[in-house]
Amino acid sequence: MSAAWTLIARDVRRGYAGGGAGLVCGFFLLAVILFPFAIGPDRVMLARIGAGAIWVAALLAALLPVDRLVAPDCESGWFDQVAMRGLSLPLVMLLRIVAHWLAFAPPLMLAALVASALFGLDGAAVMRVELGLLLGTPGLAALAVATGALTAGLRGAGAVAGLLLLPLALPLLIFGAGDDGMGGAKLLAALSLLLVTGAPWLAAAAIRSVRD
């Protein structure tokens, strides 16, 4: 258990180091701000598209740290040390997903409150957006870690990561931005749980192939 907390703390510190979380939130807010400028001052229209715009911005912001999640540790031989210590690689990747979520999701949810004000969302809509992000961001974190593992060692990994992550994240976007009440929230939670369950195994297999 202490080793697990040590790994999570290491990755969370790395996630916040160098302004990583601030960069994600800054990009998120910048992307959100573009929508009111493009659409104009129509408050009804802005409120109607607010949840979708916030989710699109969150999805794009999730791409930013992908190339730093796995590749540096592959290049430094860190995963070889993990294997020598007998640690389960899928478990290590699950802990990395948890750490990545802790590093980017809470700041993103705080930034979403500012974004909700820009779109003039009422209290109920803000609660739906925040609940959707709470349920959906674990799935985004899982996809980001798995994509980072799949693209580790590739040239132009950022572009390739975008091509992989965006289509896979579309179901999260659909259920997260939808207005289907608790039914949509349950589907979003189930999908997010499925991604968190499967991504560590996919990421571990990708890392083994890179090491071999």
Side-chain angles (χ1 to χ4, degrees):
M1 184 62 70
S2 61
W5 285 114
T6 300
L7 291 176
I8 290 175
R10 169 189 180 270
D11 291 332
V12 169
R13 285 195 301 269
R14 190 170 63 173
Y16 281 97
L23 179 63
V24 170
C25 290
F27 180 87
F28 169 78
L29 289 174
L30 180 61
V32 165
I33 289 172
L34 294 177
F35 284 91
F37 280 109
I39 293 171
D42 189 337
R43 296 182 61 85
V44 175
M45 179 62 70
L46 288 175
R48 185 179 302 169
I49 69 165
I54 289 172
W55 260 94
V56 169
L59 183 54
L60 293 176
L63 283 173
L64 289 181
V66 166
D67 58 347
R68 302 192 304 270
L69 292 176
V70 177
D73 285 337
C74 285
E75 295 169 0
S76 66
W78 185 83
F79 287 110
D80 294 327
Q81 299 177 26
V82 167
M84 290 175 60
R85 295 181 181 181
L87 296 176
S88 168
L89 192 53
L91 176 59
V92 170
M93 299 317 296
L94 176 60
L95 296 176
R96 180 149 300 188
I97 290 171
V98 173
H100 179 47
W101 184 86
L102 290 172
F104 96 97
L108 191 69
M109 292 177 67
L110 289 176
L113 295 175
V114 178
S116 299
L118 292 175
F119 286 100
L121 301 183
D122 58 25
V126 173
M127 290 299 295
R128 285 196 299 270
V129 168
E130 291 293 321
L131 177 62
L133 290 175
L134 179 63
L135 297 176
T137 47
L140 282 180
L143 282 176
V145 171
T147 302
L150 288 169
T151 58
L154 296 179
R155 291 185 178 180
V160 177
L163 292 175
L164 287 175
L165 190 147
L166 289 176
L168 294 174
L170 280 179
L172 290 173
L173 175 65
I174 292 170
F175 292 126
D179 189 13
D180 300 326
M182 290 306 298
K186 290 178 181 178
L187 288 172
L188 179 62
L191 179 58
S192 190
L193 179 60
L194 179 63
L195 291 172
V196 171
T197 302
W201 299 95
L202 177 60
I207 291 170
R208 289 192 188 101
S209 67
V210 172
R211 290 173 56 218
D212 295 340

